[in-house]
Amino acid sequence: MARVGTGVRALGALLAAVLGASLAGCSATGGKRAEDARRAAAAEGRAAVNTPRWTFAMVTHSGDGDTFWDIVQNGAKQAAVKDNINFLYAHSDEGQQQAQLVDSYIDKKVDGLIVTLAKPDAMKAAVAKAVKAGIPVITVNSGSEQSKAFGALTHIGQDESIAGEAVGDELDQRGRKKALCVLHEQGNVGHEQRCAGVKKTFGGDLLNLYVDGTNMPDVQASIEARLQSDPSVDAVVTLGAPFADAAVQAKKAAGSKAEVDTFDLNAKVAAGLAGGALGFAVDQQPYLQGYEAVDLLWLHRYNADVLGGGRPVLTGPQIITERDAAELAQYTERGTR
């Protein structure tokens, strides 16, 4: 019996060695070749899959010139190349017009829709129409609370209330006592949630300041006027990366010592963090929102996959400071962070 056991162990060792060598060979050759092929396909703009060329459309609440949505699109376009997807994009900061754009894509019978719900009441009927037409919908960025009820497969983004609470905690850690929360798009529920989250955890006073985000000189003038009228404000929180620089300029013009912090990240914000013009930023990884939305729609069409289990797939928040700026600079420069 002892000899049988020894023989079995020896056979097992032999099989393990053979299997290990086989796997090592796959990893060293086949795996590397497959990875090289995928990289070559991406570099040449070729798909990495052989599924049908489906058409996915994204409709957001972006205004003109908002660099945040450029990053979202960069992620979506990269996933679209990989997944052999024809990607379409449209936007409007007016809720009714955004809904009309969704309706137009439904009429074109696209294979999947990605939408934002910054103004959910205006979008509810359009999303319901898409779902009724059998078009799978994924919501991104805003509308996590309404996404499931509207019939979307899942929501990808950050929880705006949680993100706001993280900002309030960070302001406390920095010893701030009075902060200005600058809302650049009236009617955007996500913006209201951010400022409400800040107020919930911030131990100091929080003031909301509504500005016209489509008019940057007006944004700067409004912040400057508030800082001049209230020197006790020691922190300004903007809700989008493009508005951080306006706040920095307003601070200088007002002679204020307030720290400027912001939601979202881009190359200019990274530079501001590195140079000390900005205190911190809240990154919700917009590239990931676009990329994952397209990829999940592809997975759903190909394999009936759904992520989230009925809950949002969170891409943030992540607090970014001067310590992180150098590492992220290369990614912000190429438009992926």
Side-chain angles (χ1 to χ4, degrees):
M1 293 295 290
R3 270 180 275 188
V4 172
T6 302
V8 170
R9 286 195 295 273
L11 178 59
L14 176 61
L15 289 173
V18 172
L19 180 59
S22 174
L23 288 175
C26 288
S27 175
T29 57
K32 185 177 185 302
R33 284 196 297 268
E35 180 60 24
D36 288 345
R38 283 192 291 270
R39 288 179 179 175
E44 297 171 13
R46 293 187 287 111
V49 298
N50 61 357
T51 47
R53 189 163 176 76
W54 293 310
T55 296
F56 296 163
M58 175 185 284
V59 184
T60 75
H61 64 276
S62 169
D64 293 331
D66 192 334
T67 57
F68 176 92
W69 293 102
D70 294 338
I71 302 173
V72 174
Q73 287 186 75
N74 287 342
K77 289 175 181 177
Q78 184 63 44
V81 170
K82 176 180 71 71
D83 294 337
N84 193 31
I85 297 300
N86 177 34
F87 176 72
L88 306 175
Y89 179 80
H91 67 94
S92 175
D93 56 4
E94 296 293 333
Q96 194 57 45
Q97 291 181 14
Q98 186 189 1
Q100 290 171 359
L101 289 169
V102 172
D103 286 339
S104 71
Y105 283 133
I106 295 172
D107 292 340
K108 292 178 181 178
K109 299 181 179 180
V110 296
D111 300 295
L113 270 167
I114 303 162
V115 302
T116 61
L117 301 179
K119 296 166 184 175
D121 291 342
M123 290 292 292
K124 184 175 182 179
V127 174
K129 182 179 177 181
V131 173
K132 186 176 180 180
I135 300 173
V137 178
I138 287 179
T139 60
V140 297
N141 181 258
S142 54
S144 60
E145 295 182 355
Q146 295 84 9
S147 179
K148 185 177 180 180
F150 283 14
L153 296 176
T154 193
H155 178 82
I156 302 171
Q158 72 178 3
D159 185 297
E160 303 294 14
S161 296
I162 292 175
E165 291 170 17
V167 170
D169 289 335
E170 185 70 18
L171 291 173
D172 282 339
Q173 290 179 24
R174 291 166 176 264
R176 303 300 160 181
K177 301 301 180 184
K178 194 170 188 178
L180 202 61
C181 196
V182 184
L183 298 96
H184 61 265
E185 184 181 342
Q186 293 200 32
N188 186 321
V189 294
H191 290 183
E192 296 288 348
Q193 290 168 346
R194 287 179 182 181
C195 290
V198 176
K199 188 172 185 177
K200 182 177 179 180
T201 57
F202 182 41
D205 295 329
L206 184 75
L207 308 172
N208 283 359
L209 176 64
Y210 292 89
V211 298
D212 180 5
T214 64
N215 185 341
M216 202 61 77
D218 177 72
V219 173
Q220 181 175 330
S222 297
I223 298 173
E224 180 183 339
R226 182 57 65 92
L227 291 176
Q228 285 179 334
S229 65
D230 191 351
S232 65
V233 172
D234 58 7
V236 177
V237 179
T238 60
L239 302 187
F243 305 95
D245 186 59
V248 170
Q249 299 307 317
K251 166 188 171 178
K252 292 178 180 178
S256 170
K257 295 182 179 180
E259 176 181 280
V260 177
D261 308 304
T262 189
F263 281 79
D264 302 333
L265 182 69
N266 62 15
K268 201 161 190 177
V269 167
L273 292 170
L278 299 175
F280 67 90
V282 185
D283 186 19
Q284 60 174 306
Q285 302 185 101
Y287 181 90
L288 194 59
Q289 292 177 14
Y291 189 98
E292 288 301 321
V294 169
D295 213 29
L296 286 183
L297 274 181
W298 176 82
L299 283 167
H300 183 74
R301 298 290 315 199
Y302 173 66
N303 204 44
D305 288 318
V306 178
L307 285 183
R311 295 188 178 184
V313 178
L314 299 183
T315 62
Q318 180 183 7
I319 299 294
I320 305 295
T321 67
E322 180 184 359
R323 296 189 303 272
D324 312 296
E327 180 184 357
L328 296 178
Q330 58 180 318
Y331 307 128
T332 60
E333 290 291 342
R334 74 183 185 190
T336 59
R337 287 296 290 269

